[in-house]
Amino acid sequence: MTTQQLALDVDGTPPAPEQWGVVVDEARLYSIGGAPTDWWTTSAAQFQRSGRLRHLTTLIIGGSVELGPFDLDDATFARDHLVENGVRPELATVRRWTEQPHLPGCRKGAPCRLCTPTTTEQDGAQPS
């Protein structure tokens, strides 16, 4: 018995792999205080050095940062690791990574119209 294998010739480029991030609400974390805050301060510095931390918003007492990009399994692992070290689950959320970060409170998977610069901002032209 012989088997035959057919190769599919699909034109185009393969889709980009999905990337995910973990958003940490530092402002609330620092306002709560305690051991999780101390642990996060050290961990955040390590993420910063590795280039996997970006600031979404900055306030006097913290702000909001995003760890990533990761694949979904790694993002879930990172979030679970934060929770295991005392960070409250509502302060660390997994969401889709976008090259342009969303504004705080935006829950969309792709940049929404509020998170995307207008054409005049992109071209550097001054609005009249």
Side-chain angles (χ1 to χ4, degrees):
M1 177 190 264
T2 61
T3 59
Q4 220 175 5
Q5 183 176 358
L6 297 175
L8 296 177
D9 185 21
V10 180
D11 291 336
T13 59
E18 288 188 346
Q19 294 181 324
W20 297 83
V22 180
V23 177
V24 180
D25 187 346
E26 286 185 332
R28 288 180 54 200
L29 179 62
Y30 289 143
S31 68
I32 295 168
T37 301
D38 296 335
W39 176 84
W40 170 248
T41 302
T42 305
S43 297
Q46 293 171 349
F47 279 110
Q48 180 71 37
R49 283 192 297 273
S50 70
R52 294 227 177 219
L53 183 138
R54 67 177 175 184
H55 294 271
L56 302 176
T57 58
T58 304
L59 304 170
I60 293 172
I61 60 166
S64 182
V65 297
E66 187 169 24
L67 309 175
F70 303 112
D71 62 25
L72 183 56
D73 291 337
D74 289 342
T76 304
F77 174 81
R79 182 197 177 277
D80 292 345
H81 185 65
L82 291 168
V83 172
E84 288 170 5
N85 282 283
V87 175
R88 291 185 181 180
E90 65 269 15
L91 302 182
T93 49
V94 174
R95 71 174 185 182
R96 219 176 275 282
W97 178 271
T98 57
E99 290 304 316
Q100 165 143 3
H102 294 279
L103 295 172
C106 184
R107 303 268 184 226
K108 304 224 182 254
C112 66
R113 68 176 180 78
L114 298 175
C115 296
T116 307
T118 61
T119 307
T120 55
E121 290 174 355
Q122 290 175 349
D123 297 336
Q126 297 295 326
S128 52

